């Protein structure tokens, strides 16, 4: 690690620390229906929205109604996104004629299974992409299907988090808020202003924003190069601030038009953590004990920095197999050293590793370097981050939900050790909470492990409909343990609604499109519904007074306990799988073992 | 559930218009107004002809030019319609073979360079369109370019140093040299006769 | 007021009475024999299915055995290893069964003792016409009226409706001193199975056959009525959930290793026995095997305290209590007030007052009266005199006059509450000295009770009676406070007196001049703020409050109504025991939490033992994870399985005795327990597994 690299991490962390409180205060006021500095500007628009959509701003919902609204909205969003993609050939703003006979050579067809996967993926804030944006989608689809979902799926995530926090904050209440109101407020007051500013800034750094057809230029050596265009900056901004992560282009934030400079890169990673960090403060404020929010913040910070401290040195150490060929792996003043396969020169090692950790701590999934080409340990960190449930700040809304789930478990297991029925934030943690938390945890583990297991052995006919390359393992780009990691990462990422990938896996086949789409749906809704049930159950409870017999959940001890619970539960669930992927690959790499030949399955 | 469909439809429709059309429209308008060059792709010209984008890497294979990093975009690399990376894992035989071949090629083309191979020089970038090289990778090619251009090594090194952009704000990212800009400047200052 | 048995000697560090620590020996041979037998019976899958964790182990053991039989049949290699795995898996189930059986056997042994006393006696029932008929006790129904005489066993639970008798209740309480039972008031309840020692009483039976107190007690100690408590159910969900997660992790390991084997081109997919071993090592068998034993043992501890808890839920709730309502008399103070000072009015000497007070108290056999005689002797060397009956006429205390005294040689000596004595003096034409009211107020303010003494129309002064706070009470309340429990003193005294005693004892709050209604309202107010309240009571008028409180401990000497309303009955009728009950409740929860944490923490080491062993042939590189340097894959797997089984047995004493409990703040308790059971739980298996691996190597078992 270089001192400049460490400085990058430190400055980044300090900036996040600084915005946590103001953003947290802003969101608390916003969701409590109080006036904020943006109200003079946006309140009329908000009221107009309610009128047009016939939403009663003042009526509240029970958790079941809240959930029903969320599901109805997601269903409707899915239909919109699916239809817009399928009909792109008939829609405007399509200068490259995607979806028509005039589409350029090499364009990807928007098949029903791919459209399903993409629609599900964007509606759930996952943004897993089995297509390359510039070879598949018209500008109209990018804007009205994908950009829109980037906004509202993020807003829905925030809404659910706020509802969950209300569960902790309220006393003997039936209702946990109004989904539509929370959704509209999050979109209008948080995501629109931040995206607008972000888009302008990204454009100032070189991100493009136009509706032109792809530019064809003659290069200096006389070759022809066609350069993709489009309304990138506007989508890029919400993609980061909404922790969606779905790139306009195939290579996401590594593409120079999406993320042109180190400064734009810094702003992008800032946008990932800003709102999730602020939500910890919102949590503290809403439950009327700010220390509780800071405790979550502290636990997240430790996990974040630990991830960086593993990933960054691993990437800087580089690939010993390449070093043996004469490649420089030490950083010098004139070059970055380390593992530069799949990384951009302008970002180098530290900001690439930092980005990889942040994007998987959160459920963002944008990438500025290719995780598939990371060293085994460097790649293990993003993978494990997602498996932990993306609880480290997490996606907008998703992180705090996951962390609260772990807090419930930690309090339940360890809380018994103080001789009381476990309680958290004055709420007794009883059967229902434990049941729902375990349900979510089991479903997430099953989702990842079972799908990965099936794909490790599933046989399909070569050139058949389901998976034309043949067996599901034939879609990997790397053999040996790394190929297994690719499959494991895919289901981990979709389950976690992350969207980043070990992108060597060719996922655009009906089998992967459908199974990954299903994993995405399970990961989103079978996590959110139990958590909303917890919110409903908690809201109805009395708030217990704090005494010296109460387990303190704001000190270093609890932070340590929470971190321990997150890591141990995660490690125990996924250690066997990880040991057959990145862990064994690490030892094999050090022994100099390489994998090339296509293997044949013993299951045949 | 039935009562949820109405609001769901209206909210989705309204949000599609607001965030899918109005928002990108406003951003496009503002960007075209404030940053027209950047919003349209930061294209560079030579003799009034657009030769590419400053942000998008293009291939150079002639001895008189600095060569960019290898690219995995499209079938032949540097395809700016289809950005892509190799996605080779660290234990992939193909990665080792490719790097080995590229090192061999580089050593052959640059016999004057004896130092270690800079990490970025023979590895593919994430986008396949990386417009930059590390200063070390540019310097490693300097003797070859100087020789082909009949310029002195110092002149070429001077040019590299002028085109080296330091870390942004002094700490962000890595120092880098834009290959297209550097090669354009080479053609201007040391035209090949 | 009830009479209270002497409180058990306390171990100051644990708050638990010493007698608990040395009650029955943990591994009493007959109990162990019984438990071993039971643990085999409990292998029945239908029984075991109630415990998902152990059920999974049993299924795994059965699977391994089936594959073993197949292997032996086809003469496959490695059967010795599989045999050992199968054996140890069965042992794992047996050990868990044994833990539960041990806990149950202890209760059953106690129940047997009780049952022996429950011989079917004959009862003399008064028929509606008034005739007495002799019927078996088992035929008695509620509302029947029976007569019991000296030597009779009381045939069922009931209320004394006529007469007074001394009763031997040692069957229930273990206390040999006889107690008095009389009609009316708070000492009217009698319990079936107890014996009348004197006099004759008429009893109205209040329970039907099979529902008597003794029946219920037997059922409770036997654990027959045991229902899982809310916390236990939640914990069960947690460990069942974890089991399911580990099941997923292990089952999917099969296709994962299918990929690994085909991509590495060597090794083979782990055998069922090895996969089952990994699963059994990972699922929380320690807590899964000991959970019910902990619960049964917790109830058992309550019973050994001579407290009958009507449900485990009540014991658990005791651990959660935030507010303790403690009766002043008998709990915070010694039952009786004592004279500490003679305060004569102006113009009267101390000895004169003391002499009059002593004379007035000579026939007063109450502790207060005796303390006046003693104080007079100590302060002024006035000996108690024998006063012959013909010289003196003693006036006993009556609720009507509210004073007592003696008429002696024409003197009319009286002592009593200040207002009655003042009235008495005025009636006799005397005057009230000017500083009298001030003196009386001073005594009240300091928590004392002023007892005025008059000689006819002459007011002599005041005897200062004082409530004596029990020794060590201040410290105990301090402990409670550290645990986050507020103590509230309930007293019939006036607020002034109450405040002074509250201050001296160190309670957090007090309720003065408390009526049953006040108590009830106080409880409701606390509960509305989310607090859990515990209280003791014995009178019928306590019943509503006992029912309202989250933990209501009725005194055994109390009325049947009180016993029915509360959720625990203290057979010793010692209200101070509430504090111990809280400690037991907490200890129960702590033991569960500690073993759960320990169980989960243990898994880390097991991964390091089994995963490298599993893939030794496929990926020899994974041996880097074999940080314990276990000498072969077989011994590694076996060592982990054996450790996993043995740890259950090793922790049986802890589960039965409970984790050591010290009253302190939650934060400190958590830190200590996390260190021992969390960090300790991660570390302990490493040397343990390593050691077993070495032993296996030495014995050539693997």
């Amino acid at each position: 690690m270089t001192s400049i690299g460490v400085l990058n991490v430190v400055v980044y962390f300090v900036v996040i620390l600084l915005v946590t409180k103001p953003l947290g205060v802003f969101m608390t006021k916003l969701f409590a229906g109080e006036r904020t500095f943006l109200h003079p500007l946006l309140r009329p628009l908000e009221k107009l929205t309610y009128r047009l959509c016939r939403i009663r701003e003042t009526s509240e919902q029970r958790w079941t109604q809240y959930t029903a609204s969320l599901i109805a909205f997601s269903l409707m969003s899915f239909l919109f996104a699916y239809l817009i993609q399928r009909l792109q050939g008939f829609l405007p703003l399509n200068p490259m004629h995607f979806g028509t006979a005039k589409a350029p050579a090499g364009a990807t067809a928007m098949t029903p299974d791919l459209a399903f996967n993409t629609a599900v993926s964007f509606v759930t804030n996952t943004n897993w992409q089995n297509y390359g944006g510039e070879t598949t989608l018209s500008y109209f689809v990018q804007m009205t299907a994908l950009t829109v979902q980037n906004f509202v799926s993020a807003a829905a995530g925030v809404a659910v988090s706020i509802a969950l926090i209300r569960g902790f904050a309220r006393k003997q209440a039936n209702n946990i808020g109004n989904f539509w109101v929370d959704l509209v407020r999050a979109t209008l007051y948080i995501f629109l202003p931040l995206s607008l500013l972000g888009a302008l800034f990204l454009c100032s750094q070189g991100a493009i924003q136009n509706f032109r057809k792809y530019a064809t230029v003659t290069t200096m050596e006389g070759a022809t190069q066609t350069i993709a265009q489009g309304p990138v900056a506007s989508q890029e901004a919400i993609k980061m601030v909404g922790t969606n992560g779905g790139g306009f282009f195939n290579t996401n934030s590594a593409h120079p038009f999406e993320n042109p400079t180190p400064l734009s890169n810094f702003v992008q990673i800032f946008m990932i953590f800003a709102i999730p960090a602020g939500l910890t403060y919102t949590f503290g404020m809403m439950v009327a004990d700010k220390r509780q929010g800071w405790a979550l913040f502290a636990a997240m910070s430790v996990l974040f920095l630990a991830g960086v401290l593993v990933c960054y040195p691993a990437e800087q150490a580089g690939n010993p197999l390449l070093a043996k060929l004469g490649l420089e792996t030490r950083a010098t003043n004139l070059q970055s050293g380390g593992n530069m396969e799949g990384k951009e020169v302008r970002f180098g090692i530290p900001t690439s590793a930092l980005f990889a950790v942040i994007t998987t701590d959160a459920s963002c999934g944008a990438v500025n370097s290719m995780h598939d080409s990371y060293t085994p340990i460097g790649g293990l960190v993003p993978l494990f981050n997602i498996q932990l449930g993306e609880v480290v700040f997490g996606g907008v809304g998703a992180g705090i939900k996951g962390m609260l789930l772990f807090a419930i478990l930690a309090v339940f297991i360890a809380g018994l050790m103080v001789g009381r029925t476990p309680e958290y934030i004055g709420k007794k943690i009883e059967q229902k909470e434990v049941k729902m938390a375990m349900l979510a945890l089991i479903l997430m583990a099953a989702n990842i492990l079972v799908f990965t297991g099936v794909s490790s052995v599933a046989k399909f006919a070569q050139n058949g409909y389901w998976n034309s390359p043949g067996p599901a393992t034939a879609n990997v780009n790397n053999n040996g343990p790394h190929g297994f990691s690719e499959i494991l990462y895919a289901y981990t990422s979709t389950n976690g609604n992350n969207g980043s990938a070990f992108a060597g896996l060719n996922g655009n086949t009906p089998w992967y499109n459908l199974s990954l789409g299903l994993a995405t749906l399970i990961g989103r809704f079978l996590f959110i519904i139990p958590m909303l049930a917890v919110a409903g159950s908690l809201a109805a409870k009395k708030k217990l007074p704090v005494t010296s017999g109460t387990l303190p959940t704001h000190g270093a001890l609890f932070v340590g306990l929470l971190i321990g619970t997150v890591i141990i539960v995660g490690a125990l669930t996924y250690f066997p799988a990880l040991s057959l992927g990145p862990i064994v690959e690490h030892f094999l790499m050090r022994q100099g073992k390489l994998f090339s030949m296509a293997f044949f399955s013993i299951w045949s | 559930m039935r009562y949820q469909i109405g609001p769901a439809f209206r909210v989705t429709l309204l949000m599609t218009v607001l965030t899918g059309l109005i928002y990108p429209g406003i951003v496009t308008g503002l960007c075209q107004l404030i940053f027209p060059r950047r919003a349209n792709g930061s294209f560079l010209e030579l003799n009034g002809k657009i030769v590419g984008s400053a942000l998008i890497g293009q291939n150079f294979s002639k001895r008189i030019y600095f060569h960019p990093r290898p690219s995995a975009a499209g079938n032949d690399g540097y395809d700016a319609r289809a950005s892509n990376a190799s996605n080779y894992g660290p234990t992939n035989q193909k990665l080792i073979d490719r790097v080995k071949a590229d090192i061999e090629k580089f050593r052959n083309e640059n016999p004057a360079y004896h130092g270690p191979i800079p990490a970025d020089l023979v590895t593919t970038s994430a986008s396949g369109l990386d417009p930059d090289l590390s200063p070390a990778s540019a310097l490693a090619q300097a003797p070859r370019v100087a020789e082909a251009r009949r310029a002195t090594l110092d002149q070429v090194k001077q040019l590299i140093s002028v085109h080296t952009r330091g870390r942004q704000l002094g700490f962000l990212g890595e120092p880098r040299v834009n290959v297209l800009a550097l090669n354009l400047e080479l053609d201007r200052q040391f035209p090949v006769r | 007021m009830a009479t209270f048995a002497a409180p058990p000697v306390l171990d100051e560090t644990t708050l638990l009475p010493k007698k608990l620590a040395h009650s029955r020996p943990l591994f009493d041979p007959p109990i162990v024999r019984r438990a071993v037998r039971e643990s085999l019976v409990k292998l029945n899958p239908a029984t075991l299915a109630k415990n998902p964790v152990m059920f999974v182990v049993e299924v795994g053991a059965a699977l391994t055995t089936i594959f073993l039989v197949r292997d032996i049949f086809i003469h496959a290699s490695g059967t010795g290893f599989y045999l050992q795995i199968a054996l140890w898996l069965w042992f794992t189930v047996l050990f868990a069964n044994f833990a539960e059986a041990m806990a149950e056997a202890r209760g059953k042994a106690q129940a047997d003792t009780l049952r022996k006393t429950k011989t079917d006696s004959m009862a003399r029932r008064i028929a509606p016409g008034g005739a007495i008929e002799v019927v078996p006790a088992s035929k008695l129904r509620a509302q029947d009226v029976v007569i019991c005489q000296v030597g009779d066993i009381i045939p069922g639970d009931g209320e004394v409706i006529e007469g007074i008798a001394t009763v031997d209740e040692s069957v229930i309480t273990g206390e040999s001193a006889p107690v008095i039972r009389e009609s009316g008031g708070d000492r009217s309840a009698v319990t079936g199975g107890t014996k009348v020692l004197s006099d004759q009483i008429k009893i109205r039976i209040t329970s039907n056959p099979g529902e008597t107190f003794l029946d219920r007690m037997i059922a409770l100690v036997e654990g027959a009525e045991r229902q899982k408590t809310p916390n236990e159910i939640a914990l069960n969900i947690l460990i069942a959930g974890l089991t399911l997660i580990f099941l997923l992790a292990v089952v999917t390991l099969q296709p994962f290793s299918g990929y690994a084997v085909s991509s590495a081109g060597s090794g083979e997919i782990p055998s069922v026995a090895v996969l089952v071993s990994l699963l059994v090592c990972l699922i929380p068998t320690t807590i899964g095997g000991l959970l019910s034993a902990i619960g049964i043992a917790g109830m058992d501890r309550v019973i050994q305290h001579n407290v009958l808890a009507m449900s485990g839920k009540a014991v658990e709730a005791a651990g959660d209590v935030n507010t303790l309502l403690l009766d002043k008399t008998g709990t915070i103070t010694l039952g009786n007030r004592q004279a500490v000072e003679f305060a004569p009015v102006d113009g009267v000497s101390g000895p004169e007052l003391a002499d009059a007070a002593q004379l007035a108290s000579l026939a007063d056999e109450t502790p207060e009266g005796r303390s006046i005689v003693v104080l007079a002797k100590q302060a002024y060397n006035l000996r108690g005199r024998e006063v012959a009956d013909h010289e003196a006429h003693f006036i006993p205390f009556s609720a009507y006059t509210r004073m007592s005294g003696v008429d002696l040689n024409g003197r009319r000596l009286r002592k009593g509450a200040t207002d009655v004595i003042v009235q008495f003096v005025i009636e006799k034409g005397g005057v009230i000295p000017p500083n009298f009211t001030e003196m009386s107020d001073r005594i009240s303010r300091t928590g004392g009770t002023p007892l005025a003494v008059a000689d006819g129309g002459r007011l002599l002064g005041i005897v200062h009676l004082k409530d004596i706070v029990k020794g060590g009470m201040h410290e105990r309340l301090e402990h409670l406070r550290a645990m986050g429990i507020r103590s509230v003193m309930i007293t019939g005294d006036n607020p002034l007196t109450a405040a002074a005693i509250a201050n001296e004892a160190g309670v957090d709050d007090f309720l003065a001049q408390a009526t049953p209604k006040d108590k009830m309202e106080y409880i409701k107010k606390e509960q509305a703020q989310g607090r859990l309240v515990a209280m003791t009571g014995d009178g019928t008028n306590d019943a509503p409050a006992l029912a309202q409180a989250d933990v209501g401990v009725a005194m055994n000497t109390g009325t049947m109504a009180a016993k029915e309303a509360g959720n625990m009955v203290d057979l010793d009728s010692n209200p101070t025991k509430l504090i111990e009950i809280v400690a037991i409740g907490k200890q129960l929860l702590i033991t569960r939490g500690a073993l759960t944490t320990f169980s989960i923490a243990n898994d880390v080491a097991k991964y390091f033992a089994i995963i490298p062993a599993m893939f030794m042939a496929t990926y020899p590189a994974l041996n880097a994870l074999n940080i314990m340097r276990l000498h072969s894959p077989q011994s590694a797997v076996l060592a982990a399985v054996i450790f996993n089984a043995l740890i259950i047995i090793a922790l049986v004493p802890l589960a039965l005795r409970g984790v050591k409990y010290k009253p302190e703040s939650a934060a400190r308790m958590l830190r200590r327990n996390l260190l021992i059971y969390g960090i300790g739980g991660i570390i302990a298996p490493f040397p343990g597994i390593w050691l077993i691996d070495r032993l296996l190597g030495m014995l050539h078992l693997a």
Side-chain angles (χ1 to χ4, degrees), chain A residues 535-548:
Chain A
S537 159
L538 288 177
K541 293 189 185 200
K542 283 180 192 165
K543 194 137 176 140
L544 309 177
V546 174
T547 69
S548 59

Side-chain angles (χ1 to χ4, degrees), chain C residues 325-408:
Chain C
L325 300 191
L326 300 170
D327 274 327
K328 183 198 79 176
T329 312
T331 310
I332 290 171
T333 62
L334 294 170
N336 320 299
R337 286 174 281 210
Q338 295 188 352
V340 291
E341 182 197 358
F342 293 109
V345 295
D346 289 347
V348 178
S349 72
E352 189 183 351
L353 170 62
D355 180 62
Q358 195 185 41
L359 283 172
S361 306
L362 279 179
D364 185 353
E365 284 301 317
T366 66
E368 292 168 14
R370 268 176 286 162
S371 78
I372 292 174
V373 177
V374 171
L375 183 71
K377 181 174 137 195
Q378 283 170 348
Y380 301 107
N381 207 19
L382 297 171
R383 301 219 152 259
R385 286 142 286 186
E386 286 296 326
V387 181
D389 277 353
H390 61 269
E391 300 171 42
H393 173 60
F394 288 103
I395 318 285
F397 180 84
S398 85
Y400 178 68
T401 60
R402 289 161 64 214
M403 55 184 176
S404 64
V406 63
D407 291 346
L408 181 70

